[in-house]
């Protein structure tokens, strides 16, 4: 799909990866619908990029459907949906409240499903592309991020299943799998990233991977690319992988 002239809906546009992606898409000539919760941050992005901003709290059940209606009302169609908004929480699972677990599952998994359900019929008629921003946590599992990892694993499997189901239709499906990215994600979840490795990659590198996934129709893109190695090792040698993961984290 060409980005020039495409109508692209980006959730989580007010920060980090989403904001970098809006800048790239606007530079490529897309009509961008930038979604977030913070009007001031979105207004600054709109002034810089000409993107149309839409406010939505995706932690509210039904927000995805409502957002899809407002997006279609603006341009008459959405060609590309980038399900990027996400929220994290880190700590022992026993210390996690039910409300926080619900919020993670709603923002990271339920809202993308709602948005996809609402926009897919139009895409099946005129063509489209669905992008899901997952996480290496959803591919491997991470200690003290059990619900976050589960929400991203659910997103992954949803995307993979849709890709199979939509074969032969004019709708493409891509999953982008970042490792550690230099964004406010960690400060927002209340626990900074403290490890020296892997080193965080810039948000714009993930934004570039998203645009490549759209223009070259890639089913999945890891950022950085070497992350596919631990996933492969886990698939081929699960016992050895678990021993290493338990030892090195
Ligand atoms: N940073 C990493 O290391 C990393 C690694 C792997 C995957 N990811 C994934 O990448 C995606 C983008 O994250 P990021 O790193 O760019 O983090 P970020 O800078 O914290 O941005 C998160 C975005 O999600 C939006 N969001 C969160 N809760 C929301 C809600 N209830 N309703 C609507 N929007 C909401 C935020 O909107 P507001 O600003 O308006 O609240 C913000 O625009 C997420 O799905 C994350 O899980 C990140």
């Amino acid at each position: 799909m060409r980005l020039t002239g495409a109508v692209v809906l980006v959730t989580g546009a007010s920060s980090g990866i989403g904001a970098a992606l809006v800048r790239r898409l606007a530079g490529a000539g897309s009509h961008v619908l930038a979604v977030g919760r913070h009007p001031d941050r979105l207004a600054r992005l709109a002034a810089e990029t000409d993107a149309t901003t839409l406010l939505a709290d995706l932690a509210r059940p039904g927000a995805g459907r409502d957002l899809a209606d407002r997006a279609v009302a603006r341009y008459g169609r959405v060609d590309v949906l980038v399900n990027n908004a996400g929220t994290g929480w880190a700590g022992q699972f026993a210390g996690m409240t039910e409300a926080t677990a619900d919020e993670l599952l709603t923002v990271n998994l339920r809202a993308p499903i709602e948005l996809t359900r609402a926009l897919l019929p139009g895409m099946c008629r005129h063509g489209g592309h669905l992008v899901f921003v997952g996480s290496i946590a959803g591919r491997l599992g991470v200690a003290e991020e059990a619900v976050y990892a589960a929400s991203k694993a659910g997103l992954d499997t949803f995307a993979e299943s849709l890709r199979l189901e939509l074969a032969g239709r004019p709708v493409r499906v891509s999953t982008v799998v970042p490792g550690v990215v230099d964004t406010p994600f960690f400060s927002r979840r209340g626990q900074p990233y403290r490890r020296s490795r892997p080193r965080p990659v810039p948000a714009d590198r993930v934004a570039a991977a998203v645009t490549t996934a759209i223009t070259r129709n890639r089913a999945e893109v890891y950022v950085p690319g070497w992350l596919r190695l631990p996933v492969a090792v886990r698939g081929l040698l699960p016992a050895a992988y678990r021993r290493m993961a338990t030892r090195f984290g």
Side-chain angles (χ1 to χ4, degrees), residues 11-19 35-39 41-42 55-60 63 83-88 103 106-108 133-137 148 151-152 155 176-189 193 200-201 203 206 223:
T11 67
S14 49
S15 178
I17 295 166
V35 183
R37 282 180 302 183
H38 290 99
R41 278 197 233 146
L42 286 175
L55 286 172
D57 181 356
L58 297 173
R60 193 175 53 76
N83 283 298
N84 166 70
T87 187
E103 183 189 351
T106 306
V107 175
N108 297 357
V133 178
S135 167
I136 192 65
Y148 175 72
S151 71
K152 291 296 188 178
L155 195 67
V176 174
V177 188
V180 184
V181 190
D182 184 12
T183 72
F185 177 84
F186 298 97
S187 54
R188 281 164 173 250
R189 76 174 186 182
Y193 180 69
V201 301
V206 184
V223 191

Side-chain angles (χ1 to χ4, degrees), residues 196-222:
S196 57
R197 291 189 187 277
R199 292 169 66 129
V201 301
D204 189 52
R205 191 156 155 200
V206 184
V210 173
T211 57
T212 301
I214 298 166
T215 54
R216 299 197 190 157
N217 185 24
R218 294 268 166 82
E220 69 180 10
V221 187
Y222 286 87

Side-chain angles (χ1 to χ4, degrees), residues 6-249:
V7 178
V8 188
L9 175 64
V10 180
T11 67
S14 49
S15 178
I17 295 166
L21 178 61
V22 169
R23 291 188 187 98
R24 270 191 176 261
L25 291 167
S30 303
H31 302 295
V32 186
L33 294 158
V35 183
R37 282 180 302 183
H38 290 99
D40 46 341
R41 278 197 233 146
L42 286 175
R44 280 199 294 277
L45 191 65
E48 195 189 320
T49 60
D50 262 356
T52 299
T53 61
L54 296 170
L55 286 172
D57 181 356
L58 297 173
R60 193 175 53 76
R65 284 194 301 275
D66 172 59
L67 173 61
D69 288 346
R70 286 186 284 143
V72 172
R74 176 68 178 83
Y75 283 110
R77 67 179 205 281
V78 171
D79 300 313
V80 182
L81 165 63
V82 183
N83 283 298
N84 166 70
T87 187
W89 188 87
Q92 293 276 318
F93 173 63
M96 186 182 205
T97 66
E98 206 174 314
T100 305
D102 277 349
E103 183 189 351
L104 259 67
L105 291 169
T106 306
V107 175
N108 297 357
L109 182 58
R110 179 179 175 150
I113 291 175
E114 275 183 12
L115 271 167
T116 303
R117 186 202 300 282
L119 294 173
L120 188 56
M123 289 188 179
C124 285
R125 284 194 299 276
H126 59 68
H129 202 126
L130 299 163
V131 182
F132 297 88
V133 178
S135 167
I136 192 65
R139 294 272 160 123
L140 295 174
V142 176
E144 302 198 352
E145 296 188 42
V147 176
Y148 175 72
S151 71
K152 291 296 188 178
L155 195 67
D156 245 359
T157 317
F158 177 62
E160 190 64 33
S161 306
L162 271 185
R163 188 179 300 116
L164 296 171
E165 189 174 318
L166 294 171
R169 303 287 192 99
V171 185
R172 310 286 171 244
V173 182
S174 300
T175 307
V176 174
V177 188
V180 184
V181 190
D182 184 12
T183 72
F185 177 84
F186 298 97
S187 54
R188 281 164 173 250
R189 76 174 186 182
Q191 197 178 104
Y193 180 69
R194 290 202 183 88
R195 298 163 62 118
S196 57
R197 291 189 187 277
R199 292 169 66 129
V201 301
D204 189 52
R205 191 156 155 200
V206 184
V210 173
T211 57
T212 301
I214 298 166
T215 54
R216 299 197 190 157
N217 185 24
R218 294 268 166 82
E220 69 180 10
V221 187
Y222 286 87
V223 191
W226 62 261
L227 283 177
R228 65 179 63 247
L229 277 176
V231 176
V233 171
R234 182 176 179 266
L236 290 168
L237 303 164
Y241 172 82
R242 284 189 191 106
R243 274 197 301 278
M244 283 191 297
T246 306
R247 181 150 177 218
F248 300 111

